[in-house]
């Protein structure tokens, strides 16, 4: 194959370089011979025996050779090295392999006579994964040639992918002839429906026999995939001119090495006349340069004048040195340096000084080969001791095969394992030619990344790269880092944006006087306070009139003063809360409303007692004269004070913050402390109001113009309606709305008492003064009785 024949040319080039070098093996010429190892196990053994014995019939017997070979350089396949090495080890014959580094050959007990010239490739998996990370590919398929190296690479790359959260979409193991003994024509089903799930596929080769695999891939003509492979990949397309090629855009990780000067010129000058014994070169010339064979001696004739392999397109012969060609060049120099060192050792022995040439057995090269280190002609260090080898750096190549047969390998990046600050990947993305059908960096993911505000939730039975995106709970975020598995809760003094990707500081707020709602409520409270004070002043001014004196003038004053306090206590709920105001809010509210409601109850009892007294000396008359209803106020208030005292002593209200009611705000509120005590206060007020309403309702039809039982009934009806409505609305409100609802209920219930009880009396005092006289009411009463009698 042309790609293997380049190894032969590199071998010849190194031999000729050494033979011209006066400082390496001076006055000694290196000879050589070739043996073509056909890909069959028994053919390899047969050719090995020919190498050792010089003939085909008698094993273990050497004849027809004046000089034995000093060492053997074996091919790229690990199977070749193992097969040949097992036989050559019987004779302690040195074997230097120019294939890629194989950890299995490091076993000094099993292969003590095998030396590897290639550098280590333990960082290949890391380099490939670094490439995946650079392009953010997290869903990648693996196609791997079977064999020891293939399985080792599979372990390395899957471990590295797991470490970097890259998932394996599928693993396809492909058999080769040397591993499975399958026939050459066997079809390998590599591209199945599972490959449609990914955009990126890693192909790992550890053999140079790839035609069946490459052709099989080519038949599917998959043009929208990115192939990532190692330097052993050749995609041998000899004689094939594909306009659309599945391998166009392939990424190749090739061992880094300097360009060997003079090799291009050597290839340009190589021809059958220069190497007439090379039958392959003769056939190659015949096939590519329109030659014919002479009838007399089978020599070539009528070839293209001055033809050169450098004229050929790369799909026929690629003159760019492969990794194996570089290794072949270094392997020849390794043996030459070992022979040179042995020559120096022999020259230092007096007894050997007069002998011609180098006399030694091949096994004597082992101690020298084991420790050999040298700098090759391009400045690279070559070490054969596996323990001293360092990881190789990689050139990242882009395979261009469009237009047809271009087959260029363009370097667009490097990977350095031993960089000062750790492994380093360097790429020039603008130089990349992507596969046919791809115009930009492809995405190869199982699931698209979750946007900020969402977290990953795994899909059952699928790899970690396959997931669903779930919205974060309230006040939790995921930032710009993609695919977070857990949402992060914002601190209580911060809030999330609508996108739930950042936490911002909350602004402190409360029902302030500056707010429109606060202004409205405060203005209403002050206005009602002024109105109540005005009514109180009006009643004091007209205190001797019948309408003021009726139903206990003192109770009316008490009620007006308590209502004034009710209106003013609502102001405690407006403004920035403090610890003191939190306590004063509830105690003041509870006490002043208890005084107001108990006063209404006292007025109602006064009306009832006044109309139940029918004769002097009766007990009810004594209750009315003694002012017994007035004692209702201190008794009821004392009970409420006791409840409030217990509340304040056990679990009083305290300053608290509400971070949930308003987005982006921290609302400073007064926490009720003990809700049980709060509802006990409300329940007690409700009980008093219900009793007052019941008594007033029963006395609503009692005669007498000065009877205010109807007004008391309406006032209690309004009061109870307000607070019955307050409870469900209060529970459904939050933050400032809750506070505003409580203030509104205080104002509304207080205004209901003020309006229902005192508005009719103020109407008579101010607008109908003629009715505010006792005789006027009596005349009207008698007139009414006559009408009824008649």
């Amino acid at each position: 194959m042309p790609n293997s024949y380049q190894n032969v040319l590199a071998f010849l080039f190194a031999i000729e370089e050494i033979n011209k070098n006066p400082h390496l093996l001076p006055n000694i010429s290196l000879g050589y011979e070739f043996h073509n190892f056909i890909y069959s196990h028994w053919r390899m053994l047969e050719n090995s025996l020919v190498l050792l014995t010089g003939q085909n019939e008698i094993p273990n017997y050497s004849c027809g050779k004046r000089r034995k070979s000093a060492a053997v350089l074996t091919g790229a396949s690990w199977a070749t090295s193992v097969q040949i090495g097992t036989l050559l080890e019987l004779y302690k014959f040195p074997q230097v392999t120019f294939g890629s580094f194989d950890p299995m050959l490091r076993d000094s007990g099993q292969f003590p006579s095998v030396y590897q010239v290639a550098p280590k490739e333990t960082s290949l998996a890391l380099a490939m994964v670094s490439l995946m990370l650079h392009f953010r590919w997290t869903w990648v398929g693996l196609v791997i040639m079977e064999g020891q190296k293939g399985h080792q690479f599979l372990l390395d790359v899957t471990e590295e992918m797991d470490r970097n959260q890259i998932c394996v979409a599928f693993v396809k193991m492909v058999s080769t002839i040397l591993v499975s003994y399958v026939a050459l024509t066997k079809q390998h089903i590599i591209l199945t429906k599972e490959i449609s799930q990914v955009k990126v596929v890693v192909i790992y080769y550890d053999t140079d026999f790839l035609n069946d695999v490459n052709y099989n891939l080519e038949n599917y003509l998959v043009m929208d995939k990115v192939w990532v492979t190692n330097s052993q990949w050749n995609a041998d397309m000899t004689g094939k001119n594909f306009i659309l090629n599945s391998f166009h855009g392939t990424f190749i990780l090739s061992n880094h090495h300097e360009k060997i000067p003079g090799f291009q010129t050597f290839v340009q000058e190589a021809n059958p006349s220069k190497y007439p014994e090379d039958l392959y070169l003769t056939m190659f010339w015949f096939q590519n340069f329109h030659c014919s064979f002479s009838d007399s001696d089978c020599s070539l004739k009528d070839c293209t004048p001055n033809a050169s392999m450098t004229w050929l397109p790369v799909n026929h012969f690629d003159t760019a040195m492969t990794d194996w060609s570089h290794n072949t060049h270094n392997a020849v120099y390794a043996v030459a340096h070992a022979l040179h060192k042995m020559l120096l050792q022999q020259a230092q022995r007096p007894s050997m000084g007069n002998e011609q040439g180098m006399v030694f057995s091949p096994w004597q090269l082992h101690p020298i080969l084991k420790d050999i280190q040298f700098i090759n002609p391009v400045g690279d260090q070559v070490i054969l001791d596996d323990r001293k080898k360092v990881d190789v750096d990689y050139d990242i190549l882009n395979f261009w095969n469009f237009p047809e047969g271009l087959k260029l390998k363009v370097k667009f990046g490097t990977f350095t394992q031993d960089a000062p600050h750790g492994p380093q990947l360097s790429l020039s993305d603008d130089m990349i030619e992507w596969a046919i059908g791809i115009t930009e960096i492809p995405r190869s993911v199982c699931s698209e990344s979750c946007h900020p505000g969402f977290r990953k939730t795994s899909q059952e039975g699928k790899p970690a790269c396959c997931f669903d995106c779930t919205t974060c709970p309230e006040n939790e975020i995921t930032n710009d880092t993609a695919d977070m598995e857990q949402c992060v809760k914002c601190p209580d003094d911060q809030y999330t944006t609508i996108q739930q990707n950042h936490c911002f500081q909350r602004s402190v707020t409360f029902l302030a006087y500056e707010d429109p709602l606060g202004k409205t409520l405060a203005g209403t409270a002050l206005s009602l306070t002024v109105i109540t004070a005005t009514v109180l002043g009006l009643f004091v001014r007209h205190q001797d009139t019948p309408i003021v004196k009726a139903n206990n003038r003192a109770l009316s004053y008490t009620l007006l003063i308590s209502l004034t306090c009710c209106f003013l206590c609502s102001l405690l709920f407006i403004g920035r809360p403090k610890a003191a105001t939190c306590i004063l809010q509830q105690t003041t509210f509870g006490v002043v409303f208890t005084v107001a409601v108990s006063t209404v109850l006292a007025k109602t009892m006064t009306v009832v007692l006044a109309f139940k007294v029918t004769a002097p000396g009766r007990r009810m008359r004594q209750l009315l004269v003694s002012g017994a209803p007035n004692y209702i106020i201190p008794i009821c208030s004392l009970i409420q004070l006791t409840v409030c005292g217990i509340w304040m002593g056990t679990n009083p209200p305290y300053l608290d913050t509400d971070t949930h009611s308003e987005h982006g705000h921290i609302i400073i509120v007064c926490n009720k402390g003990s809700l049980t005590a709060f509802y006990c206060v409300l329940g007690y007020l409700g009980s008093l109001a219900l009793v007052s309403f019941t008594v007033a309702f029963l006395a609503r039809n009692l005669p007498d113009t000065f009877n205010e039982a109807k007004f008391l009934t309406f006032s209690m009806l309004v009061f109870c309606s307000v607070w019955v409505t307050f409870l469900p609305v209060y529970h459904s409100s939050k933050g400032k709305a809750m506070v505003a609802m409580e203030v509104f209920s205080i104002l509304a219930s207080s205004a209901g008492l003020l309006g229902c009880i005192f508005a009719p009396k103020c109407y008579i005092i101010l607008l109908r003064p003629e009715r505010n006289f006792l005789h006027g009411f009596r005349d009207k009463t008698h007139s009414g009785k006559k009408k009824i009698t008649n």
Side-chain angles (χ1 to χ4, degrees):
M1 295 181 291
N3 56 348
S4 297
Y5 185 67
Q6 191 189 93
N7 300 334
V8 176
L9 295 178
F11 180 87
L12 294 174
F13 177 69
I15 292 286
E16 293 187 10
E17 268 192 329
I18 293 169
N19 287 337
K20 294 176 183 178
N21 188 344
H23 305 291
L24 184 60
L25 294 177
N27 301 321
I28 294 178
S29 296
L30 286 178
Y32 59 88
E33 57 181 281
F34 290 115
H35 292 267
N36 188 25
F37 290 135
I38 301 174
Y39 286 90
S40 170
H41 290 273
W42 71 270
R43 286 288 186 183
M44 289 182 189
L45 291 175
E46 180 186 40
N47 282 281
S48 302
L49 289 172
V50 172
L51 171 67
L52 290 170
T53 64
Q55 46 87 40
N56 298 325
E57 288 80 14
I58 307 173
N60 203 27
Y61 179 80
S62 178
C63 65
K65 298 185 70 176
R66 188 178 57 172
R67 286 284 188 267
K68 290 184 178 181
S69 300
V72 60
L73 275 56
T74 55
S77 171
W78 67 270
T80 305
S81 300
V82 171
Q83 190 79 3
I84 299 172
T86 304
L87 176 62
L88 297 183
E89 179 58 33
L90 297 174
Y91 303 92
K92 306 299 181 183
F93 202 88
Q95 177 186 354
V96 182
T97 68
F98 55 84
S100 56
F101 186 82
D102 191 340
M104 191 176 73
L105 297 177
R106 296 178 60 181
D107 188 351
S108 58
Q110 186 176 2
F111 305 105
S113 301
V114 177
Y115 304 94
Q116 302 185 77
V117 73
K120 286 183 180 179
E121 294 185 356
T122 53
S123 59
L124 177 62
L126 177 59
M128 287 189 172
V129 172
S130 299
L131 199 65
M132 300 173 197
L133 291 174
H134 176 81
F135 293 112
R136 299 182 180 179
W137 296 329
T138 59
W139 189 238
V140 179
L142 301 177
V143 176
I144 298 177
M145 299 296 107
E146 283 190 350
Q148 180 73 18
K149 289 173 62 178
H151 287 287
Q152 183 61 49
F153 174 79
L154 178 61
L155 293 175
D156 293 341
V157 76
T158 51
E159 180 181 352
E160 201 64 44
M161 290 171 70
D162 289 342
R163 187 180 297 115
N164 291 277
Q165 298 180 339
I166 300 173
C167 297
V168 179
F170 64 86
V171 177
K172 195 74 176 179
M173 302 300 295
V174 180
S175 299
T176 62
I177 292 176
L178 296 178
V179 173
S180 62
Y181 301 92
V182 295
L184 189 65
T185 58
K186 181 176 175 61
Q187 289 291 316
H188 302 295
I189 305 302
I190 296 176
L191 299 180
T192 58
K193 63 179 182 179
E194 58 194 1
I195 203 171
S196 62
Q197 305 171 2
V198 299
K199 283 286 185 181
V200 180
V201 180
V202 172
I203 304 179
Y204 178 81
Y205 289 125
D206 65 344
T207 176
D208 58 350
F209 190 74
L210 309 175
N211 285 341
D212 55 340
V213 176
N214 289 333
Y215 288 167
N216 184 268
L217 289 173
E218 195 65 42
N219 290 337
Y220 283 86
L221 202 63
V222 182
M223 294 178 293
D224 61 343
K225 307 296 180 188
V226 178
W227 308 97
V228 181
T229 185
N230 56 328
S231 57
Q232 283 72 25
W233 181 84
N234 287 287
D236 183 39
M237 304 281 181
T238 305
K240 297 169 65 178
N241 294 321
F242 287 101
I243 296 177
L244 297 177
N245 182 263
S246 295
F247 297 115
H248 175 71
T250 298
F251 291 168
I252 306 170
L253 276 73
S254 175
N255 295 351
H256 173 75
H257 40 64
E258 299 297 330
K259 185 176 181 180
I260 297 178
F263 183 71
Q264 291 286 97
T265 304
F266 176 81
V267 173
Q268 183 177 359
E269 296 174 352
N271 55 65
S273 61
K274 184 177 181 180
Y275 300 104
E277 71 281 2
D278 192 338
L279 297 180
Y280 177 86
L281 188 57
T282 300
M283 293 301 299
F284 185 82
W285 225 259
F286 172 76
Q287 293 172 356
N288 290 278
F289 296 109
H290 312 290
C291 302
S292 61
F293 283 106
S294 172
D295 295 333
S296 59
D297 56 0
C298 290
S299 61
L300 294 174
K301 65 178 182 177
D302 300 328
C303 298
T304 302
N306 300 321
S308 172
M309 284 188 288
T310 57
W311 294 6
L312 298 174
V314 289
N315 64 324
H316 286 261
F317 187 83
D318 189 358
T319 59
M321 285 193 86
T322 65
D323 290 348
W324 292 329
S325 297
H326 273 271
N327 293 341
T328 302
H329 186 268
N330 288 337
V332 176
Y333 268 90
V335 175
H337 277 280
L339 292 173
H340 183 82
K341 190 172 183 180
M342 180 171 285
L343 177 64
L344 294 177
Q345 291 177 354
Q346 289 185 352
Q348 294 173 359
R349 298 174 188 172
S351 59
M352 304 293 294
N354 297 325
E355 295 190 22
Q356 297 293 322
M358 298 180 62
V359 179
F360 68 95
S361 297
W363 60 265
Q364 292 179 286
L365 277 179
H366 285 302
I368 303 175
L369 284 172
K370 191 172 296 183
D371 297 328
I372 198 72
Q373 296 185 32
F374 64 94
I375 304 298
N376 68 7
V378 294
D380 295 334
Q381 186 179 35
V382 180
I383 303 173
L384 298 191
D385 189 349
D386 296 341
R387 296 169 298 179
K388 299 179 181 178
K389 288 181 182 292
V390 296
D391 286 319
V392 68
D393 294 338
Y394 289 95
D395 291 333
I396 303 176
L397 312 178
N398 192 201
F399 183 70
W400 296 1
N401 201 46
F402 186 80
E404 55 182 73
L406 185 62
K407 275 190 81 173
L408 288 181
K409 296 176 182 177
V410 180
K411 178 180 174 179
F412 72 96
T414 59
F415 177 82
T416 304
Q417 167 70 16
D418 298 321
H421 302 288
Q424 180 178 354
L425 179 72
S426 177
L427 300 179
S428 299
D429 292 357
D430 55 341
M431 295 179 60
I432 298 175
E433 278 287 330
W434 296 102
I436 302 297
I438 300 177
T439 57
E440 58 184 10
I441 297 176
R443 290 182 57 78
S444 188
V445 296
C446 181
S447 299
E448 291 296 332
S449 297
C450 295
H451 296 293
F454 293 82
R455 64 181 179 87
K456 294 195 310 182
T457 53
S458 59
Q459 297 180 356
E460 186 175 356
K462 292 188 177 181
C465 298
C466 303
F467 50 83
D468 297 318
C469 296
T470 306
T471 307
C472 287
E474 184 180 358
N475 208 43
E476 293 187 13
I477 66 165
T478 54
N479 55 25
D480 294 333
T481 303
D483 301 335
M484 293 182 64
E485 295 182 354
Q486 296 294 332
C487 299
V488 179
K489 187 175 179 63
C490 288
D492 289 339
D493 60 343
Q494 297 181 2
Y495 69 99
T496 63
T497 57
I498 297 177
Q499 297 79 12
Q500 289 186 271
N501 59 344
H502 287 98
C503 293
F504 288 138
Q505 192 69 34
R506 295 178 185 268
S507 59
V508 177
T509 185
F510 46 86
L511 185 59
Y513 289 105
E514 294 79 9
D515 294 343
L517 182 59
K519 288 180 181 179
T520 301
L521 293 175
T524 302
L526 292 175
S527 299
L528 291 173
T529 301
V530 172
I531 292 172
T532 307
T534 302
V535 172
L536 178 61
L538 185 65
F539 268 49
V540 172
R541 184 176 179 181
H542 298 84
Q543 59 182 337
D544 296 325
T545 61
I547 201 167
V548 175
K549 294 171 64 177
N551 300 107
N552 199 322
R553 181 172 51 191
L555 291 177
S556 296
Y557 294 160
T558 304
L559 181 58
L560 287 170
I561 293 173
S562 63
L563 288 176
T564 302
C565 294
C566 288
F567 290 130
L568 291 175
C569 85
S570 65
L571 298 177
L572 292 171
F573 294 85
I574 306 173
R576 187 183 184 96
K578 297 179 181 178
T581 56
C582 288
I583 295 176
L584 288 175
Q585 282 178 4
Q586 306 306 327
T587 53
T588 305
F589 158 73
V591 172
V592 297
F593 261 84
T594 300
V595 173
V597 175
S598 60
T599 302
V600 173
L601 179 60
K603 289 176 70 66
T604 306
M605 294 301 298
T606 301
V607 172
V608 173
L609 290 175
F611 284 95
K612 291 296 182 181
V613 177
T614 57
R618 295 193 61 176
R619 184 175 300 176
M620 287 191 178
R621 183 179 180 86
Q622 293 297 326
L623 291 174
L624 183 63
V625 172
S626 63
N630 296 339
Y631 291 106
I632 294 176
I633 300 172
I635 293 173
C636 293
S637 300
L638 183 61
I639 295 173
Q640 187 70 287
L641 280 171
T642 303
V643 174
C644 290
I646 295 173
W647 183 7
M648 298 302 122
T650 55
N651 189 8
Y654 58 89
L655 199 62
D656 198 5
T657 56
D658 180 4
T659 60
H660 305 290
S661 299
E662 293 187 22
H663 185 71
H665 295 85
I666 298 177
I667 304 175
I668 303 178
V669 294
C670 288
N671 193 298
K672 296 296 186 295
S674 173
L675 286 177
T676 302
F678 174 68
Y679 287 120
C680 285
V681 170
L682 287 182
Y684 180 68
L685 281 175
S687 300
L688 286 178
L690 187 61
V691 171
S692 299
F693 172 75
T694 303
V695 174
F697 181 79
L698 295 176
R700 71 188 185 283
N701 292 323
L702 292 176
D704 197 85
T705 304
F706 292 112
N707 181 13
E708 60 181 1
K710 292 181 180 179
F711 305 138
L712 295 174
T713 302
F714 281 118
S715 67
M716 286 296 99
L717 182 62
V718 172
F719 185 90
C720 292
S721 299
V722 169
W723 287 103
V724 168
T725 307
F726 162 79
L727 289 175
V729 177
Y730 180 80
H731 277 292
S732 62
S733 302
K734 293 182 178 180
K736 292 193 294 185
M738 181 182 291
V739 179
M741 185 61 202
E742 193 168 356
V743 174
F744 175 79
S745 299
I746 292 172
L747 296 178
S749 58
S750 301
L753 294 177
L754 178 65
C756 292
I757 296 174
F758 295 101
K761 296 182 179 183
C762 292
Y763 170 75
I764 293 174
I765 293 173
L766 295 176
L767 300 179
R768 301 295 296 273
E770 71 276 5
R771 296 178 59 183
N772 195 8
F773 292 99
L774 187 60
H775 62 82
F777 287 108
R778 285 178 177 176
D779 292 341
K780 186 176 180 180
T781 303
H782 289 307
S783 174
K785 288 180 178 179
K786 289 177 181 179
K787 290 179 181 179
I788 293 172
T789 303
N790 291 337

